[in-house]
Amino acid sequence: MAMASSHAAEYGELIQADRVHGRVYYDPAIFHEELEKIWHRQWVYVGHESEVSQPGDYVTRQLGLQPVIIVRDKEGVIRVLLNRCMHRGNLVCQSERGHTQELRCIYHGWTYSPKGDLLGAPYSAAYGPSFRKEDYGLATVPRVASYRGFIFASLSPTGRSLDEHLGYAKGLIDQFVEMSPEGEVELRAGTQKQRYRGNWKMQVENAVDNYHASFVHQAANDLMTARTGVDLSQTTSEQSPALSRYLGGGHALFDFRPLQRQMGKALNLNSRAKADGTTGARKAYAEAMARRYGQEKAQEILQDGPPHCYIFPNLIFIQLQVRRIQPVSAGETSIYISQPCSREFRRRLTRLVYENTNGSLGRRALARPTTWIFLNVSS
């Protein structure tokens, strides 16, 4: 605790009004204090309800550096359990996802239910009469809550509610989910994984840094202009009415709505459909949106589009990307990027959403990925 207190005293020098010292990005002691005070204490985004849609479905994630299992039990309740066997502390689930009625440690065969209850321990009689299975269930993450299908968890048994933590950011999740004509989304279309040698806060800053877009993503912006007639340079010009907003609680937003409304255009489904040959799917999508929300509200949703925002400490929405930040060490970070879909339009719009999600990623991406920049900065 003395180490943590000493760093708290130093932060006033490390973080000034016009500059931030590099130690904030590479000092292992600062990183471990962040783990303690943020990742192991605050609400952290861990997954989506659709990833464990059926009883017995599970995915494995991390809360900070603590491995956890997100599993739906037989009663349909979503639970977040520590992925550590109560016998010797080994990982119980080795796979990233799966379906099972029992969670079995491969080391000594201790077996647990999806609720975390210990079902069996081989040769348990040898532990003596004091051994009780009720005492050796998997540890449960103290607090778990969801909003619009997005699951958050906290290793701290006390603290602010999820509603208090999200604050104004709840409206950003609403904005994202309401792009679906069903009023809900699924995140089951796969995940793209990236890892870079750099601090987790670099991905945070990238998500709320509109300065780089005109340079790093110039090729993608030029192609979008050629295909749709929408000049994306307007989003970063000095005359742009688009705003960067701090929402409190660590959350931030690139608010492009003033620019889109000034342009006076709803999402131009017809021009984009002609460009990519998907007139039928886009038309059906717009009609479904109008049926659910009414024509006027649907046009407003389509005009505003999905949010471009950061929800503290690890959830990012960029267009139709859902990014989850996972720190590995002070100098290494993983990013998990998913794309949403709706049940009704899963097949017809999957390719469109995929292209939107991955246009700036991968080896043949139109826009250069930013992870190489993080590496250069870290070096």
Side-chain angles (χ1 to χ4, degrees):
M1 294 304 295
M3 180 175 65
S5 299
S6 64
H7 277 92
E10 294 176 9
Y11 286 144
E13 299 178 2
L14 296 177
I15 304 173
Q16 300 180 17
D18 61 344
R19 69 196 66 196
V20 176
H21 196 282
R23 278 183 56 197
V24 174
Y25 299 92
Y26 65 75
D27 189 328
I30 291 177
F31 175 73
H32 286 292
E33 187 171 355
E34 291 172 342
L35 286 176
E36 175 193 348
K37 294 185 176 180
I38 298 174
W39 297 92
H40 295 166
R41 188 180 300 180
Q42 306 296 326
W43 288 103
V44 176
Y45 168 64
V46 291
H48 194 271
E49 292 177 357
S50 62
E51 297 180 272
V52 289
S53 60
Q54 301 299 318
D57 288 352
Y58 72 86
V59 294
T60 54
R61 299 287 156 81
Q62 285 184 283
L63 268 172
L65 299 185
Q66 293 294 332
V68 298
I69 307 166
I70 306 172
V71 59
R72 191 180 290 267
D73 66 22
K74 293 181 179 179
E75 286 72 41
V77 177
I78 294 177
R79 300 179 181 274
V80 182
L81 312 170
L82 289 188
N83 192 7
R84 293 291 186 190
C85 182
M86 292 298 288
H87 180 216
R88 298 288 293 275
N90 300 88
L91 290 179
V92 176
C93 286
Q94 306 285 331
S95 302
E96 292 184 354
R97 62 184 64 245
H99 178 88
T100 185
Q101 298 306 315
E102 296 180 348
L103 304 169
R104 184 175 182 269
C105 178
I106 63 172
Y107 194 22
H108 294 107
W110 282 40
T111 305
Y112 304 87
S113 75
K115 288 184 176 181
D117 299 329
L118 179 63
L119 300 177
Y123 316 115
S124 57
Y127 293 111
S130 64
F131 179 80
R132 300 172 65 250
K133 290 192 293 185
E134 298 82 19
D135 298 333
Y136 291 91
L138 293 176
T140 301
V141 172
R143 292 190 294 159
V144 179
S146 296
Y147 184 72
R148 300 298 293 267
F150 291 86
I151 306 169
F152 298 80
S154 172
L155 288 169
S156 173
T158 60
R160 297 186 302 168
S161 68
L162 179 61
D163 278 355
E164 291 172 317
H165 167 74
L166 291 176
Y168 289 111
K170 289 174 65 176
L172 304 178
I173 298 177
D174 292 337
Q175 184 181 348
F176 183 84
V177 173
E178 286 171 4
M179 294 298 296
S180 166
E182 297 161 355
E184 58 184 22
V185 298
E186 294 182 348
L187 293 181
R188 303 178 62 187
T191 301
Q192 183 174 112
K193 306 169 189 176
Q194 297 182 354
R195 180 173 287 202
Y196 64 89
R197 293 196 296 274
N199 191 267
W200 66 275
K201 295 186 292 297
M202 290 182 173
Q203 174 63 193
V204 174
E205 293 177 4
N206 173 251
V208 293
D209 166 29
N210 204 29
Y211 196 176
H212 76 277
S214 295
F215 310 102
V216 179
H217 305 313
Q218 182 178 353
N221 293 347
D222 290 347
L223 181 59
M224 178 66 73
T225 299
R227 295 178 67 181
T228 68
V230 178
D231 183 6
L232 294 183
S233 67
Q234 297 179 69
T235 64
T236 56
S237 70
E238 294 184 10
Q239 292 76 35
S240 174
L243 300 170
S244 294
R245 300 182 186 272
Y246 178 60
L247 304 178
H251 316 309
L253 167 70
F254 276 153
D255 192 354
F256 295 121
R257 292 172 297 179
L259 173 62
Q260 290 164 302
R261 292 170 182 175
Q262 176 178 292
M263 293 169 65
K265 296 179 180 179
L267 184 63
N268 194 331
L269 295 170
N270 290 329
S271 64
R272 295 191 66 180
K274 292 175 183 177
D276 58 30
T278 55
T279 308
R282 290 188 182 275
K283 181 179 179 182
Y285 168 66
E287 291 173 347
M289 290 289 286
R291 285 195 300 271
R292 177 171 182 85
Y293 301 107
Q295 189 65 41
E296 184 176 347
K297 178 64 174 177
Q299 286 293 95
E300 179 182 325
I301 293 172
L302 294 175
Q303 175 177 271
D304 290 347
H308 189 130
C309 64
Y310 165 64
I311 298 177
F312 182 81
N314 71 326
L315 175 59
I316 296 171
F317 294 124
I318 297 180
Q319 296 179 7
L320 292 178
Q321 295 179 9
V322 179
R323 297 188 182 187
R324 177 170 55 88
I325 302 172
Q326 176 58 58
V328 177
S329 67
E332 192 166 5
T333 305
S334 293
I335 311 169
Y336 298 87
I337 304 170
S338 303
Q339 60 188 50
C341 60
S342 69
R343 283 191 291 269
E344 181 180 354
F345 290 89
R346 185 181 298 160
R347 293 184 179 178
R348 286 186 286 180
L349 286 175
T350 291
R351 182 173 69 85
L352 303 180
V353 175
Y354 178 84
E355 290 177 351
N356 182 287
T357 303
N358 294 283
S360 60
L361 306 171
R363 291 184 178 179
R364 299 183 180 181
L366 298 173
R368 302 171 72 183
T370 48
T371 49
W372 69 274
I373 296 176
F374 302 156
L375 174 59
N376 291 344
V377 171
S378 301
S379 300

